[in-house]
Amino acid sequence: MTISIKAKLIILGTLLTFIPTLIVNYLISSASIDNASQSLQESAEQKLTAVRETTAEHIEDYFKFINDQIITFSNDKSVKNAMVDFSKAYKDFENELNEENSSVHQSSLENYYNNEYDEKFRKLNNGKSANPKDLLNNLSPSSIALQYHYISNNSAELGAKDQLLRAPAENSYNQTHEIYHPTFHHYQQQFGYYDIFLVDAKTGHIIYSVFKELDYATSIKTGPYANSGIGIAYKKALAADDPHQTFLTDFSPYVPSYNGSASFISSPIFEKDKLIGVAIFQMPVDRINAVMTH
């Protein structure tokens, strides 16, 4: 079948009329899609901004809560009593040390450092060792003895040393620990802190720790962790002249916690006008992450 010239002209005229309409419709549709995409993008950006601002507010509120809490903690009468009792008990413990048992304590602790502790440290740090020998060489006899009683000779599993209420020996330190540990342990669990420390103002000895990691019973004035975050938090609090001051350190790797990121907040403990100790919280990393991720 052949198409006449007239028919061809009609078809051509129709196409010439239809094509511009099609182009215009296409352009309108494309513009609509672009506008819709832009609106969606702007909406998404607004939501992200709102989430960011809300998260920042939550973090700020949570850190203020921690700041207020450690002030309340360090000014609590029972905490001050604990500070006095633990300081005296720690000194008594040093004076009562038996040299006959020192080799037993040393051997047990070396086994713990080289095997249980360093094995976990290597797993969490791509096979890198914590150099346990260097850590041990910086411990005082009293640090070794207390770490023996509450860590290496503690039958609780690694990561659960806080379950021990008191070591077996009859001495003032173990009796003091038995009195105060349940309260501080409950406090640490209730508010999710990684650890809570009481530090003697003069010696820098960690005379009490809830969780009992390798910083327990060491001096953060002269010991292996003096230059770490906890040592910085302690030194800053020593310069305080107001019982309501607090000092927060940045997050950084912390060897006793297997090189995990750790931050510390400290506050001085005064008895009347005398600085008797420092309260330190190891910040609750899990709860901070929970706030960050809602």
Side-chain angles (χ1 to χ4, degrees), residues 50-67:
V51 169
R52 181 189 64 197
E53 291 175 352
T54 301
T55 301
E57 289 176 2
H58 287 170
I59 284 292
E60 186 177 345
D61 289 344
Y62 187 53
F63 273 74
K64 184 180 184 303
F65 169 77
I66 293 172
N67 187 80

Side-chain angles (χ1 to χ4, degrees), residues 21-273:
T21 304
L22 184 64
I23 292 171
V24 170
N25 289 338
Y26 171 76
L27 292 174
I28 292 172
S29 298
S30 296
S32 298
I33 291 171
D34 289 342
N35 288 336
S37 297
Q38 186 175 354
S39 296
L40 286 172
Q41 182 176 347
E42 290 175 354
S43 177
E45 288 176 353
Q46 290 173 359
K47 288 180 180 178
L48 288 172
T49 301
V51 169
R52 181 189 64 197
E53 291 175 352
T54 301
T55 301
E57 289 176 2
H58 287 170
I59 284 292
E60 186 177 345
D61 289 344
Y62 187 53
F63 273 74
K64 184 180 184 303
F65 169 77
I66 293 172
N67 187 80
D68 292 344
Q69 195 169 49
I70 195 169
I71 291 174
T72 302
F73 181 88
S74 62
N75 283 277
D76 186 271
K77 183 62 179 175
S78 63
V79 174
K80 293 181 181 184
N81 290 340
M83 188 73 236
V84 171
D85 292 347
F86 269 114
S87 291
K88 183 178 183 306
Y90 193 98
K91 290 177 184 177
D92 291 343
F93 184 85
E94 285 182 307
N95 295 332
E96 296 166 3
L97 282 177
N98 189 339
E99 292 185 6
E100 294 179 2
N101 296 326
S102 61
S103 60
V104 175
H105 298 164
Q106 182 77 26
S107 177
S108 173
L109 212 56
E110 283 179 1
N111 182 63
Y112 176 83
Y113 271 61
N114 291 322
N115 295 301
E116 291 185 63
Y117 167 76
D118 203 46
E119 182 179 334
K120 183 174 180 178
F121 188 96
R122 288 174 185 270
K123 286 181 180 178
L124 296 174
N125 291 276
N126 298 316
K128 181 182 177 181
S129 172
N131 297 317
K133 184 177 180 180
D134 292 340
L135 299 177
L136 277 164
N137 288 339
N138 281 314
L139 298 185
S140 67
S142 58
S143 300
I144 291 173
L146 278 173
Q147 286 199 3
Y148 163 78
H149 287 298
Y150 282 89
I151 298 179
S152 66
N153 197 45
N154 182 344
S155 60
E157 295 181 359
L158 188 69
K161 302 298 183 180
D162 57 317
Q163 300 301 318
L164 180 62
L165 180 60
R166 60 164 292 164
E170 287 297 331
N171 57 54
S172 60
Y173 184 89
N174 292 339
Q175 292 166 3
T176 303
H177 192 279
E178 184 177 23
I179 293 169
Y180 291 106
H181 183 63
T183 300
F184 291 145
H185 185 261
H186 175 74
Y187 192 95
Q188 177 256 339
Q189 293 284 308
Q190 182 71 23
F191 295 105
Y193 291 108
Y194 188 98
D195 205 349
I196 294 174
F197 308 89
L198 296 179
V199 187
D200 185 82
K202 288 184 179 179
T203 65
H205 278 115
I206 297 176
I207 55 178
Y208 173 77
S209 156
V210 172
F211 203 53
K212 304 295 188 301
E213 289 191 319
L214 299 194
D215 45 18
Y216 167 63
T218 67
S219 171
I220 49 177
K221 187 176 183 179
T222 60
Y225 314 111
N227 296 320
S228 67
I230 194 170
I232 294 170
Y234 161 73
K235 292 179 180 71
K236 286 183 176 180
L238 286 183
D241 55 7
D242 183 344
H244 295 91
Q245 286 181 275
T246 63
F247 306 89
L248 179 67
T249 69
D250 293 332
F251 279 93
S252 61
Y254 188 55
V255 172
S257 299
Y258 308 98
N259 245 16
S261 188
S263 170
F264 301 87
I265 186 169
S266 62
S267 184
I269 300 175
F270 283 92
E271 183 60 59
K272 295 182 180 179
D273 294 329

